Amino acid sequence: QVQLVESGGGAEQSGGSLRLSCAASGSSLDYYVIGWFRQAPGKEREGVACISSRVGSTYYADSVKGRFTISTDNAKNTVYLEMTRLKAEDTAVYYCAAARVEYPGGWFGGPKSRLFDEYEYEYWGQGTQVTVSS
């Protein structure tokens, strides 16, 4: 079992940058695919980015591709989401989540819809608010 704690949210102006952190405890991130999701007011939660440090694969939603970067620091057992060129529509509560996956290569090589399927992720953090003003 893994516990996840997000941090790094806050308020930023449009065009600015923020870095979110997802610190994991209880288990090594090597056994998991880690996803970042977000939920804006009145909208459904959506996948933003995900990563497997074991196979070195990442995947991004089209809305953040080229602006956000997901990465891991295995020594710190932490996943980061570097967000640049922020837009007002990036305003949301951001969650990190973990899916224990035996063959992550199969995940990233298969249907992309699975990578952002919330039901595949068993463990969730409490969320961190990101507010971008235009």
Side-chain angles (χ1 to χ4, degrees):
Q1 189 167 343
V2 64
Q3 293 81 43
L4 305 172
V5 178
E6 303 98 333
S7 61
E12 183 58 72
Q13 290 190 335
S14 181
S17 300
L18 283 173
R19 187 177 78 161
L20 305 183
S21 299
C22 173
S25 61
S27 183
S28 169
L29 287 175
D30 256 6
Y31 299 110
Y32 297 88
V33 169
I34 302 297
W36 281 99
F37 293 77
R38 67 185 181 186
Q39 188 167 23
K43 294 188 176 181
E44 292 187 353
R45 190 155 53 186
E46 62 176 357
V48 175
C50 59
I51 188 169
S52 164
S53 59
R54 196 178 342 152
V55 296
S57 294
T58 59
Y59 182 71
Y60 297 91
D62 288 342
S63 58
V64 306
K65 203 173 294 183
R67 300 188 299 121
F68 290 10
T69 303
I70 189 170
S71 63
T72 61
D73 184 333
N74 289 338
K76 295 182 178 180
N77 220 31
T78 297
V79 176
Y80 301 100
L81 186 67
E82 189 77 39
M83 306 186 295
T84 65
R85 290 185 282 144
L86 285 164
K87 304 176 181 180
E89 50 263 44
D90 294 321
T91 295
V93 177
Y94 283 72
Y95 301 87
C96 67
R100 189 172 177 106
V101 179
E102 189 171 0
Y103 302 110
W107 262 51
F108 285 85
K112 300 306 181 192
S113 58
R114 185 180 192 182
L115 296 172
F116 289 152
D117 183 348
E118 292 184 27
Y119 294 100
E120 297 281 1
Y121 291 82
E122 305 102 308
Y123 307 102
W124 291 79
Q126 81 288 352
T128 186
Q129 176 70 48
V130 170
T131 303
V132 183
S133 57
S134 55

